[in-house]
Amino acid sequence: MTIPLSAPDIGEQDIEAVAAVLRTPHLSLGPKLEEFEFSLANYLGVSHAIAVSSGTAGLHLCLRALEISEGDEVIVPSFTFIAVANAVRYQRATPIFVDIDLTSPNLNADLLEEAITARTKAIVAVHTFGIPAELDRILEIARRHNLFVIEDACEAIGAEYNGQKIGTFGHAAVFGFYPNKQITTGEGGAVVTNNTALAATVRQLRNQGRNGSNDWFQHSELGYNYRLSDINCALGVEQLKRLDPILVRRESIAKIYNSALAGFAAFVLPPLELPQRRISWFVYVLQLNDRMDVQCRDWIVREMKSRGIATGRYFAPIHLQPIYKSYPGRTVSLPVTESRASRSLALPFFNRIRDEEIREVADALVELIPRFTGRNP
Ligand SMILES: *Cc1c(COP(=O)(O)O)cnc(C)c1O
């Protein structure tokens, strides 16, 4: 593969910062953890950030700290990464899938109320592809029904809604720093909240349920090892310093794609701007028009691969995954999710992609149009 779908952006400063940690005795629970948490909280303007070993761990800790447990229901999208529903199941609670909007990849707020039951405890608002979910309505419905809102901001660091940073709206929010995200710590994630008690619980559960740092063998809760090492945190500190230019570059890549692919009826391109929102570009995903199907999309992926260009589907709906197909004992039908997922095509998208590579991808795709539509572009 000559052009990958994603690639981390690691500079000399990142490497230096990681190496510097290795020259100290503080590889875990050290000063870089504190610095990373402080920088992230400061960037977002929240009171507490707790770094954890992954975004998935962060989601699990939020649900656990909010005491979501067996018999409870949590509303989630299916058009997202499987960790969102899995974390609910780790607590033996039930994920209730709600369809997405026709015009955005996020939860359709019109469908929330009919999904709420006496067992519903929370809504996970995922900011899919870095596009802020419809927070005004989600928060209003949650308030009326006394539900928690957890923002899954793993794909959306730096995105804004009504001029306010994503991750600061719900009771808690989760970020993820896997290498395909806007910034990375290798593996890692963070929980952020303005609720001091919630933050303390998450901090305790992350570290085996320890009461504090004073007594290493005093465990008052069934906790986990969800810690993030200082090696990872050092990388996070450096990456976070570069977040603003990274987001500018990613937006400009999306713009280049959109102008190269504009005017072809075969493609529905992602909007570059949306009312009330600043997008933090996570991936560049276009849709084939609704005359195309999944076979067509998969054919394009194979053809692009044979030209050395990685493309992919984003997302494979959770409710159609083998482990969810007969869960929780009933079939779920989410027509918009299924239709969108079958026609989605993610293109190579990473900070260091060169402008000529973007054009090469776009040219290769345009060349294929007559072969899958039977018409000239
Ligand atoms: C990346 C991501 C996560 C977290 O993934 P990890 O690999 O556990 O860090 C969670 N939710 C969504 C929507 C994601 O895209």
Side-chain angles (χ1 to χ4, degrees):
M1 209 55 82
T2 52
I3 309 182
L5 203 48
S6 84
D9 176 6
I10 303 296
E12 280 311 312
Q13 286 203 353
D14 297 319
I15 294 168
E16 276 307 309
V18 168
V21 174
L22 295 172
R23 295 189 190 98
T24 75
H26 307 296
L27 303 190
S28 188
L29 298 174
K32 282 292 167 184
L33 170 65
E34 271 180 40
E35 188 181 345
F36 182 48
E37 292 181 339
F38 179 82
S39 321
L40 184 62
N42 198 43
Y43 173 78
L44 296 169
V46 290
S47 329
H48 309 280
I50 304 104
V52 291
S53 52
S54 69
T56 309
L59 284 169
H60 183 203
L61 287 185
C62 285
L63 294 159
R64 166 74 196 275
L66 294 169
E67 297 182 351
I68 285 156
S69 59
E70 189 154 11
D72 293 341
E73 295 178 352
V74 178
I75 292 175
V76 299
S78 173
F79 190 79
T80 185
F81 185 49
I82 196 160
V84 176
N86 284 354
V88 175
R89 288 178 65 178
Y90 298 161
Q91 284 303 104
R92 299 181 189 279
T94 307
I96 301 296
F97 296 111
V98 166
D99 212 348
I100 53 171
D101 218 86
L102 266 177
T103 54
S104 94
N106 291 322
L107 279 178
N108 182 342
D110 288 335
L111 303 176
L112 286 176
E113 301 236 50
E114 63 197 56
I116 294 171
T117 72
R119 293 162 177 263
T120 311
K121 288 284 158 62
I123 301 170
V124 181
V126 184
H127 306 299
T128 301
F129 302 159
I131 298 169
E134 206 171 347
L135 284 165
D136 281 347
R137 292 187 59 211
I138 293 172
L139 291 165
E140 187 273 318
I141 292 166
R143 237 186 326 266
R144 226 162 354 92
H145 294 268
N146 204 17
L147 308 177
F148 296 118
V149 173
I150 299 167
E151 287 178 77
D152 181 334
C154 288
E155 301 180 6
I157 192 166
E160 292 174 17
Y161 185 75
N162 290 337
Q164 184 183 332
K165 287 223 164 60
I166 282 305
T168 61
F169 289 85
H171 294 85
V174 179
F175 290 89
F177 306 114
Y178 188 73
N180 70 337
K181 311 285 183 185
Q182 288 88 332
I183 58 170
T184 185
T185 58
E187 291 280 2
V191 174
V192 304
T193 181
N194 283 316
N195 182 322
T196 302
L198 192 67
T201 305
V202 169
R203 212 171 267 289
Q204 183 180 15
L205 292 172
R206 164 185 75 176
N207 189 17
Q208 306 285 17
R210 288 187 176 105
N211 288 333
S213 51
N214 298 341
D215 192 343
W216 193 249
F217 291 118
Q218 190 71 26
H219 309 274
S220 53
E221 292 280 346
L222 179 67
Y224 309 90
N225 177 358
Y226 284 168
R227 296 184 301 262
L228 187 65
S229 87
D230 277 49
I231 305 166
N232 302 90
C233 290
L235 180 53
V237 168
E238 295 308 312
Q239 294 258 307
L240 194 54
K241 285 181 194 163
R242 290 197 283 127
L243 180 56
D244 287 335
I246 283 173
L247 295 184
V248 170
R249 171 62 186 153
R250 293 174 85 91
E251 183 179 18
S252 76
I253 298 167
K255 280 186 181 154
I256 300 172
Y257 269 132
N258 265 28
S259 51
L261 296 170
F264 299 108
F267 306 134
V268 181
L269 304 181
L272 293 171
E273 280 175 26
L274 288 166
Q276 299 175 277
R277 289 158 172 86
R278 180 194 183 193
I279 302 169
S280 166
W281 286 85
F282 166 55
V283 283
Y284 182 90
V285 183
L286 58 75
Q287 287 169 264
L288 304 179
N289 76 30
D290 53 20
R291 289 188 301 280
M292 313 295 166
D293 60 11
V294 69
Q295 281 80 26
C296 174
R297 193 271 316 279
D298 293 347
W299 177 85
I300 296 172
V301 171
R302 285 193 302 274
E303 286 292 321
M304 294 293 277
K305 188 176 175 194
S306 75
R307 289 160 175 75
I309 299 168
T311 57
R313 53 182 186 162
Y314 251 102
F315 279 96
I318 301 175
H319 72 287
L320 301 180
Q321 298 292 317
I323 193 150
Y324 279 89
K325 266 212 153 139
S326 56
Y327 183 88
R330 60 189 144 78
T331 43
V332 178
S333 166
L334 303 169
V336 183
T337 293
E338 289 167 27
S339 163
R340 189 178 183 115
S342 67
R343 294 180 292 107
S344 72
L345 183 72
L347 303 185
F349 193 75
F350 46 94
N351 301 346
R352 293 184 179 213
I353 192 169
R354 286 177 285 117
D355 290 7
E356 53 278 23
E357 290 176 312
I358 304 172
R359 274 190 294 277
E360 185 186 330
V361 174
D363 289 347
L365 199 54
V366 168
E367 250 181 59
L368 293 177
I369 295 175
R371 294 181 53 201
F372 66 82
T373 60
R375 256 173 282 162
N376 283 324

